[in-house]
């Protein structure tokens, strides 16, 4: 299976800031050969890994970027708030969420699972929809450093190309 990489920006949703400078990056089918996603992320210094599910409510992180790799099953995830982008994800797909990107699982198969990680092992904060904190959230997001590596490819790759400032 060929890997398809796409990226897109999300607009400020009013109650979810999203990221005004960095796009979401989706690597479709990048782990179709069943490589160990968690080991790959850790090898490229995206650590603090966890395994499990995606929350079924809108949330985001203002202090770090996040990568999610689908290890089994399928799901529809809504990015960016109620009017955002719906992604159909399946085992082998990876999505990189820049700081501030709202995400929520809409539906999934029973066996859906992901591995998540953060650049340099950052510990994420958890923010929920709230229009009263937009200015503060955007200020925090702008201070999040760019990752030094792509979580899938390491010292090269789409993230480093698309997230260059």
């Amino acid at each position: 299976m060929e890997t398809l990489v796409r990226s897109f920006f999300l607009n400020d949703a009013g109650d979810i800031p999203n990221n005004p400078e960095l796009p979401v990056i989706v690597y479709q089918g990048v782990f179709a050969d069943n490589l160990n996603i968690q080991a790959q992320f850790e090898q490229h210094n995206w650590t603090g890994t966890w395994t499990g599910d995606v929350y079924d409510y809108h949330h985001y992180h203002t202090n770090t970027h996040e990568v999610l790799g689908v290890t089994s099953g399928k799901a529809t995830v809504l990015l960016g708030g109620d009017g955002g982008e719906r992604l159909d994800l399946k085992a082998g797909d990876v999505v990189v969420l820049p700081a501030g990107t709202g995400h929520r699982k809409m539906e999934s198969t029973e066996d859906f699972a992901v591995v998540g990680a953060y650049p340099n092992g950052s510990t994420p904060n958890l923010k929920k929809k709230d229009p009263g904190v937009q200015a503060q959230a955007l200020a925090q997001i702008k201070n999040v450093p760019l990752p030094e590596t792509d979580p899938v490819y390491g010292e090269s790759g789409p993230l480093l190309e698309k997230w260059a400032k």
Side-chain angles (χ1 to χ4, degrees):
M1 175 187 273
E2 184 177 322
T3 299
L4 173 66
V5 177
R6 68 183 190 106
S7 63
F8 54 89
F9 285 90
L10 295 163
N11 294 324
D12 186 322
D15 53 6
I16 296 174
N18 295 307
N19 194 299
E21 298 176 1
L22 302 174
V24 171
I25 303 174
V26 181
Y27 305 72
Q28 294 176 306
V30 71
F31 285 106
D33 57 3
N34 292 320
L35 286 175
N36 186 327
I37 297 172
Q38 183 171 340
Q40 191 86 351
F41 290 167
E42 290 175 353
Q43 176 184 344
H44 297 130
N45 204 29
W46 285 67
T47 56
T49 56
W50 55 271
T51 57
D53 205 344
V54 175
Y55 293 133
D56 62 358
Y57 57 87
H58 289 293
H59 65 286
Y60 61 95
H61 315 290
T62 59
N63 66 335
T64 189
H65 311 294
E66 181 174 30
V67 62
L68 301 172
V70 182
T71 57
S72 63
K74 297 178 183 178
T76 300
V77 176
L78 180 60
L79 301 180
D82 292 327
E85 179 95 10
R86 294 175 79 92
L87 282 183
D88 292 320
L89 299 172
K90 64 186 179 322
D93 291 348
V94 169
V95 59
V96 182
L97 305 172
T101 302
H103 48 295
R104 171 187 181 198
K105 183 182 75 173
M106 301 299 289
E107 58 190 15
S108 68
T109 58
E110 283 189 32
D111 62 340
F112 176 71
V114 298
V115 59
Y118 311 93
N120 301 313
S122 302
T123 301
N125 58 18
L126 180 65
K127 304 291 184 177
K128 296 181 182 178
K129 293 169 51 167
D130 184 351
V133 300
Q134 287 297 89
Q136 179 185 8
L138 286 167
Q140 290 175 336
I141 291 163
K142 288 181 182 184
N143 289 324
V144 176
L146 291 177
E148 296 173 6
T149 57
D150 182 295
V152 174
Y153 296 104
E155 294 185 11
S156 63
L159 181 133
L160 298 177
E161 296 165 14
K162 295 178 184 297
W163 283 16
K165 285 190 179 181

Short mmCIF file of all heavy atoms in Angstrom, two decimals, residues 55 57-64 66 103 118 123-129:
data_model
loop_
_atom_site.label_atom_id
_atom_site.label_comp_id
_atom_site.label_asym_id
_atom_site.label_seq_id
_atom_site.Cartn_x
_atom_site.Cartn_y
_atom_site.Cartn_z
N TYR A 55 -10.50 10.53 23.23
CA TYR A 55 -11.67 11.00 23.97
C TYR A 55 -12.82 11.30 23.01
O TYR A 55 -12.60 11.77 21.89
CB TYR A 55 -11.36 12.26 24.77
CG TYR A 55 -10.39 12.05 25.91
CD1 TYR A 55 -9.34 12.93 26.09
CD2 TYR A 55 -10.55 11.01 26.81
CE1 TYR A 55 -8.44 12.77 27.14
CE2 TYR A 55 -9.67 10.84 27.87
CZ TYR A 55 -8.62 11.72 28.03
OH TYR A 55 -7.75 11.55 29.07
N TYR A 57 -14.97 13.65 23.35
CA TYR A 57 -15.35 15.06 23.47
C TYR A 57 -14.21 15.92 22.93
O TYR A 57 -13.05 15.49 22.90
CB TYR A 57 -15.68 15.44 24.93
CG TYR A 57 -14.55 15.18 25.91
CD1 TYR A 57 -13.56 16.15 26.15
CD2 TYR A 57 -14.47 13.98 26.60
CE1 TYR A 57 -12.53 15.92 27.04
CE2 TYR A 57 -13.45 13.74 27.50
CZ TYR A 57 -12.48 14.70 27.72
OH TYR A 57 -11.46 14.47 28.59
N HIS A 58 -14.54 17.12 22.47
CA HIS A 58 -13.53 18.02 21.93
C HIS A 58 -12.54 18.40 23.02
O HIS A 58 -12.93 18.79 24.13
CB HIS A 58 -14.16 19.32 21.40
CG HIS A 58 -14.94 19.13 20.15
ND1 HIS A 58 -14.35 18.80 18.95
CD2 HIS A 58 -16.26 19.24 19.90
CE1 HIS A 58 -15.28 18.71 18.02
NE2 HIS A 58 -16.45 18.97 18.57
N HIS A 59 -11.28 18.27 22.70
CA HIS A 59 -10.21 18.69 23.62
C HIS A 59 -8.99 19.05 22.79
O HIS A 59 -8.91 18.73 21.60
CB HIS A 59 -9.89 17.60 24.63
CG HIS A 59 -9.32 16.35 24.02
ND1 HIS A 59 -10.09 15.45 23.31
CD2 HIS A 59 -8.05 15.88 23.98
CE1 HIS A 59 -9.32 14.47 22.87
NE2 HIS A 59 -8.07 14.70 23.25
N TYR A 60 -8.04 19.73 23.42
CA TYR A 60 -6.81 20.12 22.75
C TYR A 60 -5.74 20.38 23.79
O TYR A 60 -6.01 20.35 25.00
CB TYR A 60 -7.03 21.36 21.85
CG TYR A 60 -7.50 22.60 22.59
CD1 TYR A 60 -6.58 23.56 23.01
CD2 TYR A 60 -8.84 22.82 22.84
CE1 TYR A 60 -7.00 24.72 23.67
CE2 TYR A 60 -9.26 23.97 23.50
CZ TYR A 60 -8.35 24.90 23.92
OH TYR A 60 -8.76 26.03 24.57
N HIS A 61 -4.51 20.59 23.31
CA HIS A 61 -3.37 20.84 24.19
C HIS A 61 -2.69 22.13 23.74
O HIS A 61 -2.41 22.30 22.56
CB HIS A 61 -2.37 19.68 24.12
CG HIS A 61 -3.05 18.33 24.19
ND1 HIS A 61 -3.65 17.86 25.33
CD2 HIS A 61 -3.24 17.38 23.24
CE1 HIS A 61 -4.19 16.67 25.08
NE2 HIS A 61 -3.94 16.36 23.82
N THR A 62 -2.45 23.04 24.67
CA THR A 62 -1.81 24.31 24.31
C THR A 62 -0.31 24.30 24.52
O THR A 62 0.37 25.23 24.12
CB THR A 62 -2.39 25.47 25.14
OG1 THR A 62 -2.18 25.20 26.53
CG2 THR A 62 -3.86 25.68 24.85
N ASN A 63 0.22 23.24 25.14
CA ASN A 63 1.64 23.23 25.50
C ASN A 63 2.48 22.22 24.73
O ASN A 63 3.68 22.11 24.95
CB ASN A 63 1.80 22.99 27.00
CG ASN A 63 1.33 21.60 27.42
OD1 ASN A 63 0.49 20.99 26.76
ND2 ASN A 63 1.86 21.12 28.53
N THR A 64 1.89 21.47 23.82
CA THR A 64 2.66 20.49 23.06
C THR A 64 1.89 20.06 21.81
O THR A 64 0.67 20.20 21.72
CB THR A 64 3.00 19.25 23.91
OG1 THR A 64 3.92 18.42 23.19
CG2 THR A 64 1.77 18.45 24.27
N GLU A 66 1.01 16.71 19.26
CA GLU A 66 0.70 15.31 19.56
C GLU A 66 0.66 14.51 18.27
O GLU A 66 0.22 15.00 17.24
CB GLU A 66 -0.67 15.22 20.26
CG GLU A 66 -1.08 13.83 20.65
CD GLU A 66 -2.37 13.80 21.46
OE1 GLU A 66 -3.24 14.70 21.26
OE2 GLU A 66 -2.52 12.90 22.28
N HIS A 103 -9.60 17.86 18.90
CA HIS A 103 -9.85 16.53 18.36
C HIS A 103 -10.85 15.79 19.24
O HIS A 103 -10.89 15.97 20.45
CB HIS A 103 -8.56 15.74 18.15
CG HIS A 103 -7.59 15.74 19.29
ND1 HIS A 103 -6.94 16.88 19.74
CD2 HIS A 103 -7.15 14.74 20.08
CE1 HIS A 103 -6.13 16.56 20.74
NE2 HIS A 103 -6.25 15.27 20.98
N TYR A 118 4.45 12.59 22.19
CA TYR A 118 4.70 14.02 22.17
C TYR A 118 6.18 14.27 21.92
O TYR A 118 7.03 13.50 22.38
CB TYR A 118 4.28 14.64 23.52
CG TYR A 118 2.91 14.19 23.92
CD1 TYR A 118 2.73 13.08 24.74
CD2 TYR A 118 1.78 14.82 23.41
CE1 TYR A 118 1.46 12.63 25.06
CE2 TYR A 118 0.51 14.38 23.73
CZ TYR A 118 0.35 13.27 24.56
OH TYR A 118 -0.90 12.82 24.86
N THR A 123 4.66 16.67 28.49
CA THR A 123 3.45 16.24 29.19
C THR A 123 2.33 17.20 28.79
O THR A 123 2.40 18.40 29.09
CB THR A 123 3.68 16.28 30.72
OG1 THR A 123 4.77 15.43 31.03
CG2 THR A 123 2.43 15.82 31.45
N PRO A 124 1.30 16.69 28.12
CA PRO A 124 0.26 17.59 27.62
C PRO A 124 -0.68 18.08 28.72
O PRO A 124 -0.96 17.37 29.68
CB PRO A 124 -0.50 16.71 26.64
CG PRO A 124 -0.35 15.33 27.21
CD PRO A 124 1.05 15.30 27.78
N ASN A 125 -1.14 19.31 28.55
CA ASN A 125 -2.26 19.77 29.36
C ASN A 125 -3.53 19.36 28.63
O ASN A 125 -3.48 18.94 27.48
CB ASN A 125 -2.19 21.28 29.61
CG ASN A 125 -2.17 22.10 28.34
OD1 ASN A 125 -2.51 21.65 27.26
ND2 ASN A 125 -1.73 23.34 28.45
N LEU A 126 -4.66 19.43 29.28
CA LEU A 126 -5.92 19.04 28.65
C LEU A 126 -6.87 20.22 28.74
O LEU A 126 -7.23 20.66 29.83
CB LEU A 126 -6.52 17.83 29.36
CG LEU A 126 -7.85 17.32 28.79
CD1 LEU A 126 -7.65 16.79 27.37
CD2 LEU A 126 -8.43 16.26 29.69
N LYS A 127 -7.24 20.74 27.58
CA LYS A 127 -8.14 21.89 27.51
C LYS A 127 -9.42 21.47 26.80
O LYS A 127 -9.38 20.70 25.83
CB LYS A 127 -7.50 23.05 26.73
CG LYS A 127 -6.16 23.50 27.29
CD LYS A 127 -6.32 24.17 28.63
CE LYS A 127 -4.99 24.69 29.13
NZ LYS A 127 -5.10 25.41 30.38
N LYS A 128 -10.54 21.99 27.27
CA LYS A 128 -11.83 21.73 26.65
C LYS A 128 -12.35 23.00 25.99
O LYS A 128 -11.83 24.08 26.22
CB LYS A 128 -12.82 21.23 27.70
CG LYS A 128 -12.41 19.90 28.31
CD LYS A 128 -13.42 19.43 29.33
CE LYS A 128 -12.98 18.13 29.97
NZ LYS A 128 -13.94 17.69 31.01
N LYS A 129 -13.39 22.85 25.19
CA LYS A 129 -13.99 23.99 24.49
C LYS A 129 -14.32 25.11 25.48
O LYS A 129 -14.99 24.87 26.47
CB LYS A 129 -15.26 23.55 23.78
CG LYS A 129 -15.05 22.61 22.65
CD LYS A 129 -16.30 21.97 22.11
CE LYS A 129 -17.41 22.90 21.77
NZ LYS A 129 -18.48 22.29 20.97
#
